[in-house]
Amino acid sequence: MNAGNFSAAPGPVGVFDSGYGGLTILSEIRKVLPGYDYIYLGDNARAPYGSRSFDIVYEFTLEAVTELFRRGCHLVILACNTASAKALRNIQQLDLQRLDPERRVLGVIRPTVEAVGDITRNGHIGIFATPGTVASESYNIEIAKLHPEYAVSAHACPMWVPLVENRESDRPGADYFVRQDVDALMDTDSEIDTIVLGCTHYPLLYPKIRAAVPEGIEIVRQGDIVARSLVDYLRRHPEMERSLTRSGHTQYLTTENPDKFSSLATLFLGHAIEAERIEV
Ligand code: DGL
């Protein structure tokens, strides 16, 4: 029995983000696990989360996760670093017990941090993320647990999500902000050899970031890392794997106008989709 009275029947994998960024994770997950069903939920009406307080991000994320449970998901991926940084631990430690101890919520920070150890050569890591993720120090804390000897410099890029959400990511105006943030990060540690894009929106700015970052520095995008880690998770948790439906279908939900969502989501995914508006 679960307090939320959620159906025990198998269901889709839930993928949640404040807006469009999680689509960069979903598309990589679907490449390696195409057979499963997915529900993508973007809380576009309340995005961006990056500059919101801890309490609010936790409250909004919990509402979204509960809604995905209600829609049949047994497993929800927080495809959002800000939500992973500010809400995941509370949801895992406090809310799942109450809602349904059999369901699982996973984030994107831990798998990214695990992968970084295989990428860096000198242990000097740079992180680009939202102000909320940087203030939470989640990357610094998680990296210190695995690699206490690493030097971690995290830099907040408050303009990058609005640039992406407003379709400016491939326009010339974005160059200025990207260059400014890359220079600021490199000024804090000139030995950085690996930079993590610690926000799921940032892959949309990748060409501009690549052009601004000095050659030889590895730029880590999270999509395939999170996807591979999900494959591994399902292999280790056959009981969860059995609770997933398989017809290769994805449903797109947004808290904003669905036509607006569909048109930008198409840009992120490279193919047309239809979205439905819901309230959480
Ligand atoms: N995509 C989210 C992340 O990975 C943040 C976007 C936002 O600020 O809402 O952090």
Side-chain angles (χ1 to χ4, degrees):
M1 192 54 194
N2 53 67
N5 256 332
F6 309 120
S7 161
V13 177
V15 179
F16 169 69
D17 182 47
S18 58
Y20 300 98
L23 294 169
T24 62
I25 304 283
L26 174 68
S27 62
E28 295 298 324
I29 292 177
R30 288 182 57 196
K31 276 186 202 157
V32 292
L33 296 167
Y36 296 105
D37 297 322
Y38 299 92
I39 298 184
Y40 183 87
L41 171 55
D43 191 8
N44 300 75
R46 303 189 290 191
Y49 280 14
S51 42
R52 292 192 185 274
S53 67
F54 182 98
D55 291 0
I56 293 293
V57 172
Y58 170 41
E59 181 187 317
F60 289 179
T61 305
L62 180 58
E63 285 171 0
V65 166
T66 308
E67 179 62 25
L68 288 165
F69 286 170
R70 244 183 252 128
R71 289 173 180 264
C73 301
H74 292 251
L75 177 64
V76 173
I77 313 292
L78 300 186
C80 173
N81 289 267
T82 310
S84 299
K86 294 188 160 186
L88 181 62
R89 183 191 295 254
N90 273 0
I91 292 176
Q92 285 176 335
Q93 294 183 353
L94 306 174
D95 301 297
L96 282 182
Q97 274 307 318
R98 176 179 54 81
L99 290 170
D100 182 352
E102 303 298 317
R103 286 174 209 250
R104 289 289 174 270
V105 181
L106 305 175
V108 290
I109 294 179
R110 182 74 192 200
T112 306
V113 165
E114 283 169 3
V116 158
D118 295 330
I119 299 169
T120 181
R121 298 170 304 276
N122 68 3
H124 287 257
I125 314 291
I127 312 284
F128 285 130
T130 64
T133 301
V134 171
S136 76
E137 297 190 353
S138 295
Y139 274 96
N140 312 59
I141 294 166
E142 291 300 323
I143 292 175
K145 282 184 198 161
L146 295 183
H147 306 285
E149 71 283 12
Y150 284 7
V152 182
S153 308
H155 178 77
C157 310
M159 289 304 292
W160 290 14
V161 169
L163 285 170
V164 171
E165 298 259 334
N166 289 294
R167 297 171 181 257
E168 292 289 334
S169 56
D170 56 357
R171 302 237 175 101
D175 291 321
Y176 169 80
F177 293 101
V178 169
R179 169 74 56 188
Q180 177 171 270
D181 287 316
V182 167
D183 290 349
L185 178 67
M186 294 312 298
D187 280 350
T188 62
D189 179 359
S190 60
E191 288 182 64
I192 286 171
D193 80 342
T194 303
I195 296 178
V196 175
L197 302 188
C199 170
T200 55
H201 282 66
Y202 295 175
L204 271 286
L205 286 162
Y206 180 81
K208 291 193 187 296
I209 300 169
R210 183 65 275 175
V213 166
E215 265 182 52
I217 296 178
E218 211 55 58
I219 299 175
V220 179
R221 286 171 281 188
Q222 299 177 295
D224 68 318
I225 293 172
V226 173
R228 278 187 277 116
S229 137
L230 180 59
V231 171
D232 182 52
Y233 178 84
L234 294 178
R235 197 178 306 124
R236 289 184 289 109
H237 295 88
E239 74 295 346
M240 179 57 79
E241 203 278 336
R242 281 193 295 276
S243 72
L244 306 178
T245 51
R246 291 167 162 260
S247 56
H249 179 258
T250 302
Q251 184 182 16
Y252 295 91
L253 306 176
T254 174
T255 54
E256 242 279 7
N257 177 298
D259 296 331
K260 188 177 164 205
F261 180 85
S262 301
S263 104
L264 196 53
T266 297
L267 206 74
F268 271 72
L269 292 166
H271 58 84
I273 60 128
E274 273 191 28
E276 189 188 320
R277 180 176 172 199
I278 62 158
E279 280 176 20
V280 293

